[in-house]
Amino acid sequence: MDFKAKMLRDNALKDKVIVITGGGSGLGKAMTKYFMELGAKTAITSRDLDKLEVTAEELVKETGGECLPCRVQKK
């Protein structure tokens, strides 16, 4: 089994919008990068806006995609 092969075809998510909670690091960041590579426009959320902004900038540079950092908090 080839674990390095992509699960979806190129542009499978073209122009789709995906919101990822906890997108500033770890699995959320990895999933966001993959979604962006597949053409999705993304929004990443968490409580730490500074971390999100750094992550979004990094992901945009790596993929050429779109990533909007959004701070969310408990009311």
Side-chain angles (χ1 to χ4, degrees):
M1 183 176 267
D2 183 4
F3 292 106
K4 293 184 180 184
K6 290 186 177 182
M7 292 174 28
L8 300 171
R9 70 189 186 311
D10 289 343
N11 292 316
L13 300 176
K14 184 170 173 45
D15 297 327
K16 302 293 183 191
V17 177
I18 300 176
V19 177
I20 300 93
T21 58
S25 62
L27 288 174
K29 180 179 177 182
M31 289 186 291
T32 303
K33 181 177 179 182
Y34 185 54
F35 296 149
M36 291 172 72
E37 288 171 348
L38 293 172
K41 298 175 183 178
T42 60
I44 54 175
T45 68
S46 82
R47 293 173 288 182
D48 187 345
L49 183 58
D50 293 335
K51 185 176 193 177
L52 290 172
E53 288 174 337
V54 169
T55 299
E57 185 177 325
E58 178 183 317
L59 292 172
V60 167
K61 283 181 183 176
E62 289 178 12
T63 66
E66 295 180 48
C67 185
L68 175 68
C70 301
R71 181 175 184 257
V72 295
Q73 66 183 27
K74 243 171 107 170
K75 193 171 183 184

